[in-house]
Amino acid sequence: MAHFITVLLVLSLSLTFSLLPETASAQLRQNYYAKTCPNVESIVRNAVTQKFRQTFVTVPATIRLFFHDCFVQGCDASVIIQSAGSNKAEKDHPDNLSLAGDGFDTVIKAKQAVDAVPSCRNKVSCADILAMATRDVIALSGGPSYAVELGRLDGLSSTAASVNGKLPHPNFNLNQLNSMFAAHGLTQTDMIALSGAHSVGFSHCGKFSNRIYNFSRQSAVDPTLNRAYATQLQQMCPKNVDPRIAINMDPNTPRAFDNVYYKNLQQGKGLFTSDQVLFTDKRSSPVVNAWAANSNTFNSAFITAITKLGRVGVKTGRNGNIRRNCDAFN
């Protein structure tokens, strides 16, 4: 009998956990703040536009912040929390140290703008502000605009340890990318679409130097790299250069959110192994070719993918709250 009860408990627990992400994301809706803060989207957009005019880095920094947030404990703004006392927060994990400060600043400025409206004060979560800001920077840089689902609460924990093994690395192959994205309910097509965000932004020499100097015993340079592009990268990243030197992810249109990223892959101009593999692996190359040829199909796939990303691990009810300051727990 005891064994039977244990089995029942395990079954009901596994059922609860399998239902959790669905029920949480089911509470997201486009007009979530219609009654509490009806102008929230324009308030956020204005703050983001102001920040965008100061620096273009706002674009890649905000998109990347959203991605790094959602892939670790879900889209709950836990990546924005500052380390305090004995708690080392997510943002201080080695994989997050390269997140540009302009992304954090964008969310904090937008939060201040929202809270400056008395009826909106402490009504809008930092997690939702990050989701809206991401949509806004994509549109500001020429990408597709889309309706954002809202209703996330801010997470109640943020630890560096929780980041371990949760974020893709520049040397990942297709299987590694697919399994990491699948863990969040994202398909290979979603993964290829979200990789398209590398159409904007930059990386650092240290993240890909192995591809241009010590790739393998047989070849110092990665043979999937375009020869002229490899030479160009060697000039920009000489062997003893400061590994923090910034290099554009898209050598052709680095300030436009567009489908040129996929055209670059066709020419062997993917900066990371994890970019170029999307073209060299026959399982993913048909999608790369289709989107290189048609920006509309890429845009609609991207909207689908980023909407699904925004539903990952959403906090509701007692699992979250609305932070007064995005970088500190209440």
Side-chain angles (χ1 to χ4, degrees), residues 100-176:
D102 289 301
F104 297 92
D105 192 49
T106 299
V107 178
I108 286 162
K109 293 252 169 51
K111 170 75 166 169
Q112 287 167 350
V114 170
D115 282 353
V117 178
S119 60
C120 296
R121 188 167 299 140
N122 297 330
K123 299 271 167 60
V124 183
S125 69
C126 301
D128 275 347
I129 288 173
L130 176 53
M132 286 183 265
T134 300
R135 182 264 315 270
D136 295 335
V137 297
I138 289 165
L140 282 166
S141 54
S145 193
Y146 52 93
V148 179
E149 296 176 339
L150 302 167
R152 302 164 189 80
L153 289 179
D154 296 324
L156 305 176
S157 84
S158 174
T159 64
S162 66
V163 182
N164 289 337
K166 291 292 193 315
L167 294 166
H169 283 205
N171 60 348
F172 270 17
N173 62 32
L174 195 70
N175 290 343
Q176 291 170 304

Side-chain angles (χ1 to χ4, degrees), residues 307-322:
T307 302
K308 283 170 72 175
L309 175 63
R311 295 171 184 158
V312 171
V314 165
K315 308 292 185 294
T316 56
R318 283 177 300 183
N319 294 322
N321 61 16
I322 291 173

Side-chain angles (χ1 to χ4, degrees), residues 24-36:
S25 66
Q27 293 187 23
L28 296 182
R29 57 182 194 272
Q30 288 172 16
N31 58 350
Y32 186 82
Y33 295 104
K35 291 192 174 70
T36 48

